[in-house]
Amino acid sequence: MFFGLVKWWTGDVASTTPDVAGKKRNLQRLAEAKAILVKEYPDCAPLRQLVGKIDAAVKSLQQWKV
């Protein structure tokens, strides 16, 4: 569900081939989403779990070969 939300939010649903611009854009969007969540929600287990998923997505995205 999380990655489906990210695809919907970013508008990258149809994009299947990673490129440098898309990688950079997605890293920026993940950072923005994380910043909003951390700023707007109190620290709790569900938030930490979601932030962990964002961190994992960032780590995975950084390893993309484009």
Side-chain angles (χ1 to χ4, degrees):
M1 170 148 170
F2 172 74
F3 293 106
L5 256 175
V6 170
K7 285 183 180 184
W8 171 81
W9 182 47
T10 62
D12 290 342
V13 175
S15 177
T16 57
T17 306
D19 62 1
V20 174
K23 179 179 177 177
K24 183 177 178 179
R25 183 176 57 248
N26 288 331
L27 285 168
Q28 180 180 359
R29 288 176 175 164
L30 286 167
E32 290 172 4
K34 180 179 175 179
I36 291 168
L37 290 168
V38 170
K39 178 183 175 191
E40 299 296 332
Y41 290 93
D43 185 36
C44 62
L47 177 62
R48 288 189 297 271
Q49 184 180 17
L50 185 55
V51 168
K53 288 182 180 186
I54 292 173
D55 290 341
V58 168
K59 184 176 179 180
S60 173
L61 188 55
Q62 288 172 335
Q63 295 174 3
W64 280 13
K65 295 189 183 349
V66 291

